[in-house]
Structure formats: C-alpha cells, structure tokens
Amino acid sequence: FKAHYPKGLSNLSKATHAEADHFKAFLEVAHPNHPQNPFSNFEIKLRNYLLIQILYWTGCRPSEVLSLTLDDIGHDIDQPALRFIRRHDDINDPRKVQPTLKTQEREINIPPALYTDLEYYIRVIRPTFNRSKSHPYIFVHHKGGMKGSAMTDKAFSEAVIPKLKAVDKMFTNIQRRGFRIYFNERLSAQIDMHNEGVSEQILVAEKQGLYEEVKVLKSKLIKDGDEIDMRMMLNGHSSPESARPYLNRFAERKARDIHKRMMLDISSATKEIKNGRSS
C-alpha cells in the first residue's frame, strides 16, 4: 500500500510512525552505556548515539546531520547550537552522493550535554583517523577502507539504524524520518502546554478583574499562525504550506486519541450493562 502513496509532506498522516514510548526506548538502547547496545566498541557507539541525538533534538533530516562540519558548531557555553548550511557541490566533500540541505539554512540550539559529547568525539575520537584530516565533516567511517572519510548516508541508513532496530520488535516502525515527525509532535505538545498554562492565568485574572493583565496574557498565546512561523524557522521551511502538515498531523493524532478514549468509555458502559443483564 505504501508504494502507491503519492510522495510529499501532504502524506505525513499516512506515514508509518512509531509511538513516543518506542522512540524513548530506542534512544535509551542507542546510549553507549546501555547493555543492549549492539555495536562493538565505545567509539562507534558514541558516534551512532550522537547521530541519533542530533535527529532527536533538532528535527533535521538525516542528510543534514551528515553535512555538518567542524565549523557548524556554535560554542556559546550557555546556548550551544548547530548551524545547518547549504553546501551543494562542495569541493571539500569527497562523497559521490553528497548529503545536502533540502531546506533553508538555520541555527538550532542543542542541550549542553550533547555539545559536550560532540566536542569529545571531535577532539578525542575523530583525530585518531588519519583521513579525517582531509575533510571538515564531523562524522566519519570507523572501519574498512573508508576509515576516517566522511560518513555516507548509506552507512547511516544500512549499518546503524537496522542494527538498533533489531534489538527489540517494538522498534519495527522506527525510521530516521520519524525523528523529524516526532520532533514536531513534541513541539506541538509543548505549545499546547504553554497555551493551557496561559489560559489558566487568563481565567484567574478575569475573575480578579485585572483586565490589563488579561490583555498582556492573551498576547502570549501562541496562535496557529505563530506556530507555523515557528515550524518554518526550526524545520527550515520556506513556505507555510510545508510547515502546516506537521501541525495537521498532530491534530489528527490528538483526535484519534480522544476518539479512542471515547470508544473505551462506551465499551466500559456496554460491559456494565451486559453484566447487569447477566446478574
């Protein structure tokens, strides 16, 4: 069935996608210290963990992770960041298929812990490969004839993700693209939490007759248009049409969850009636 779906962002709602708890478990297994991590040594475990952490925290595409260079790290101690830059046909990239940005350039903040782990990989592990000195790309191959050269998308998709997915059946629907969808769903959830908190403050202020404060609080509500602008910035979209499907997908998932709870309530009531008849 999936082979016949039209391609494009408008079909996000049809995409196979893992549940949030499956993503969380997958991230745990990918940690270098997890006993079920399937990779052979710490250096490879850390590289793969960093690849997945960047997908998780930035919502970027897999190709954008592999296009990161040493100069793309923002070293602000309080707000470290990654810069995603367009480098089509880069003369410094020896890969036959160059991973490049499909979206607009942007800068995304990352957690300090991720920054620290990245710095360790760059300063301690990466320099041990002689070929790494010939290019600026952060992530490199650790084995075989390509050792030290810039990591390819094929290696990421075929040598990293499948091994992690094989650890547990619950990871069946985990996809690299799914991290981008999951990032946007977490963003939607945070926006909902923000708006719910502000709405509660508005109700309290209205009851107290603090109408000026109500005006200020209402200006803090994140409206659909604001949310789309935020997505455009974080995802690197150049038009609202590209950002809206993520918002729609989250709304659809919420509707399905609510409908599921409604059906469970109905099933419970029906069961009680049936039990009543039996008695």
Side-chain angles (χ1 to χ4, degrees):
F1 287 114
K2 286 192 290 185
H4 292 280
Y5 288 149
K7 301 187 185 304
L9 284 172
S10 61
N11 295 286
L12 280 175
S13 61
K14 301 182 182 71
T16 303
H17 182 49
E19 297 299 322
D21 57 341
H22 295 174
F23 274 107
K24 291 175 183 175
F26 187 82
L27 287 163
E28 289 175 4
V29 169
H31 193 282
N33 295 331
H34 195 281
Q36 289 182 283
N37 190 301
F39 296 99
S40 59
N41 61 59
F42 175 78
E43 289 77 13
I44 292 176
K45 289 178 181 179
L46 179 61
R47 181 201 62 186
N48 297 343
Y49 176 69
L50 291 172
L51 290 167
I52 291 167
Q53 282 286 303
I54 292 172
L55 291 180
Y56 176 81
W57 287 110
T58 69
C60 70
R61 289 183 169 87
S63 60
E64 294 174 332
V65 177
L66 298 175
S67 70
L68 289 168
T69 71
L70 301 172
D71 293 330
D72 292 337
I73 301 178
H75 297 282
D76 186 302
I77 295 175
D78 297 322
Q79 292 187 319
L82 292 175
R83 289 183 287 269
F84 296 94
I85 308 296
R86 296 177 70 86
R87 296 188 181 89
H88 288 72
D89 301 318
D90 184 4
I91 60 173
N92 295 311
D93 192 343
R95 291 169 286 194
K96 291 181 180 180
V97 180
Q98 296 183 355
T100 55
L101 264 69
K102 296 180 180 179
T103 52
Q104 301 297 308
E105 294 184 354
R106 62 202 184 280
E107 182 174 299
I108 307 292
N109 291 116
I110 58 173
L114 176 54
Y115 169 78
T116 300
D117 290 341
L118 265 174
E119 282 291 289
Y120 179 85
Y121 179 79
I122 290 168
R123 297 181 185 280
V124 178
I125 296 174
R126 188 179 181 278
T128 62
F129 304 103
N130 290 330
R131 199 175 293 178
S132 69
K133 300 177 179 65
S134 66
H135 65 85
Y137 293 94
I138 293 174
F139 296 106
V140 301
H141 287 279
H142 285 215
K143 290 183 176 181
M146 298 179 70
K147 186 185 296 185
S149 60
M151 189 176 184
T152 62
D153 186 70
K154 183 178 181 181
F156 190 9
S157 64
E158 297 182 5
V160 177
I161 300 300
K163 275 195 173 184
L164 287 166
K165 288 176 66 171
V167 171
D168 197 300
K169 288 183 179 179
M170 78 165 70
F171 301 151
T172 299
N173 289 331
I174 296 286
Q175 303 175 42
R176 293 186 304 169
R177 181 190 181 190
F179 279 94
R180 188 168 173 84
I181 298 171
Y182 185 34
F183 173 85
N184 278 277
E185 290 183 350
R186 284 164 30 232
L187 175 62
S188 291
Q190 288 295 320
I191 290 171
D192 279 0
M193 287 177 60
H194 168 84
N195 283 344
E196 287 169 8
V198 173
S199 296
E200 290 175 3
Q201 294 177 40
I202 289 172
L203 288 175
V204 172
E206 286 177 337
K207 288 179 181 179
Q208 296 176 350
L210 304 173
Y211 301 112
E212 289 301 318
E213 185 174 338
V214 168
K215 289 181 182 179
V216 173
L217 287 169
K218 284 184 176 180
S219 69
K220 294 181 180 181
L221 289 169
I222 300 173
K223 301 177 178 63
D224 279 1
D226 300 325
E227 183 172 344
I228 287 175
D229 289 342
M230 291 168 63
R231 289 185 194 282
M232 288 176 63
M233 185 275 289
L234 291 171
N235 291 319
H237 293 145
S238 57
S239 68
E241 287 74 21
S242 298
R244 182 168 288 281
Y246 289 104
L247 189 154
N248 292 342
R249 180 187 172 91
F250 182 73
E252 289 170 8
R253 284 174 68 86
K254 283 180 65 178
R256 286 197 296 271
D257 289 342
I258 291 169
H259 186 221
K260 185 177 180 180
R261 289 198 293 270
M262 288 168 60
M263 290 189 293
L264 288 172
D265 290 342
I266 292 170
S267 298
S268 177
T270 304
K271 186 176 181 180
E272 288 177 5
I273 292 169
K274 185 176 180 180
N275 291 338
R277 286 175 179 172
S278 299
S279 61

